[in-house]
Amino acid sequence: MSLNTFKEMQALVEAGYATVKENSNLCTFKYHRSVQFNNLWNKIPGIKECRGHTYDKETGEIVLVPPPKVFNYLENNHWKDYPDDKKVLMYKKYNGFMASATIYNGELIVGTTGTTTSDYAVLAKKMISESPEAMSLIYEGHTTTFEIIHDSDPHIVNEGANAVIPLVERSNWDGAIYALQFKDMHPQKVCTFGEAKEIAKTDRWFLALSKLEHDGFPGSE
């Protein structure tokens, strides 16, 4: 899986398709809202990899590589042609906000989908740093993405207690994604895709899917 270079990210900003937030030597990129509103995801090369990806502006090295943009079922034809008889893994979709973390030059770096300096990013860093379980999953050259659940960030679906939920791992070197390695924290069910769609009509607990043929980022969020 190819990752955008720092120069490619800068080009997206110059073209008006992305924004950048700086924090000392770090630059965090996020797609411009016009991309979302005009549904340009499949028209702009590299824009799906513009969702909190953070680079060292002095070296051009990628620091945080969260998962790329994914879509809900049938959004942009996502999962449209997947056979009903194929096996999938259903698991719980937690309701919070996304934060990605790594160790860079010996320091814990945490960012959201657009910055490493916002109140949400600061909150996520505090919660992650105070969780031995979360910290055990974070190391240099590798980004771990979490769902952060906190009372200050209410959602329609209330998850209850504050929590740091690991979601996905990704290599900073080649962008390889390793999802769902945290099975004890994710209620799961193996079934066919057809069965999953029937379950989703009435069961709001299992709201995300992953194909079983390979490790990959969840197909729905």
Side-chain angles (χ1 to χ4, degrees):
M1 185 176 294
S2 177
L3 294 174
N4 293 353
T5 65
F6 183 48
K7 287 185 177 180
E8 287 171 333
M9 286 296 202
Q10 290 176 307
L12 288 172
V13 174
E14 292 170 2
Y17 295 131
T19 61
V20 60
K21 295 287 181 65
E22 293 193 17
N23 176 18
S24 185
N25 65 311
L26 300 180
C27 291
T28 301
F29 295 87
K30 183 178 182 178
Y31 58 84
H32 192 276
R33 60 180 178 272
S34 63
V35 174
Q36 179 77 31
F37 293 154
N38 297 316
N39 194 24
L40 302 177
W41 298 110
N42 293 325
K43 298 178 180 179
I44 304 169
I47 197 64
K48 295 175 187 175
E49 293 282 2
C50 200
R51 195 170 172 242
H53 294 57
T54 300
Y55 296 72
D56 185 324
K57 68 180 181 181
E58 296 176 359
T59 66
E61 182 179 359
I62 192 164
V63 178
L64 285 174
V65 54
K69 173 68 177 177
V70 293
F71 305 103
N72 293 315
Y73 176 54
L74 296 185
E75 183 182 7
N76 289 321
N77 293 320
H78 195 54
W79 288 78
K80 177 178 177 290
D81 298 319
Y82 198 70
D84 280 349
D85 61 351
K86 285 284 190 177
K87 290 288 184 69
V88 296
L89 182 66
M90 299 188 75
Y91 60 96
K92 178 172 171 54
K93 164 64 170 75
Y94 290 91
N95 291 275
F97 67 92
M98 190 184 88
S100 295
T102 192
I103 302 296
Y104 184 67
N105 291 336
E107 178 185 355
L108 174 65
I109 305 295
V110 177
T112 59
T113 56
T115 177
T116 58
T117 60
S118 69
D119 291 344
Y120 283 121
V122 172
L123 172 62
K125 186 172 184 177
K126 180 176 185 297
M127 292 181 67
I128 290 170
S129 66
E130 293 176 351
S131 168
E133 293 82 5
M135 290 300 297
S136 71
L137 301 172
I138 301 168
Y139 50 94
E140 196 151 0
H142 172 102
T143 298
T144 303
T145 299
F146 300 89
E147 194 80 5
I148 306 296
I149 300 167
H150 194 268
D151 295 337
S152 64
D153 178 47
H155 287 73
I156 294 175
V157 177
N158 188 343
E159 298 289 359
N162 296 340
V164 179
I165 308 294
L167 297 179
V168 64
E169 303 171 330
R170 196 170 190 193
S171 167
N172 287 19
W173 307 113
D174 60 9
I177 299 172
Y178 308 93
L180 302 175
Q181 302 299 310
F182 317 106
K183 294 181 173 55
D184 58 329
M185 301 191 71
H186 293 274
Q188 297 180 6
K189 179 180 180 66
V190 175
C191 59
T192 66
F193 184 44
E195 291 170 338
K197 289 186 287 186
E198 288 300 314
I199 292 170
K201 291 178 180 179
T202 57
D203 190 335
R204 292 297 180 262
W205 182 264
F206 292 105
L207 290 176
L209 295 175
S210 180
K211 300 173 184 177
L212 290 185
E213 294 97 312
H214 55 81
D215 289 333
F217 190 68
S220 176
E221 68 166 10

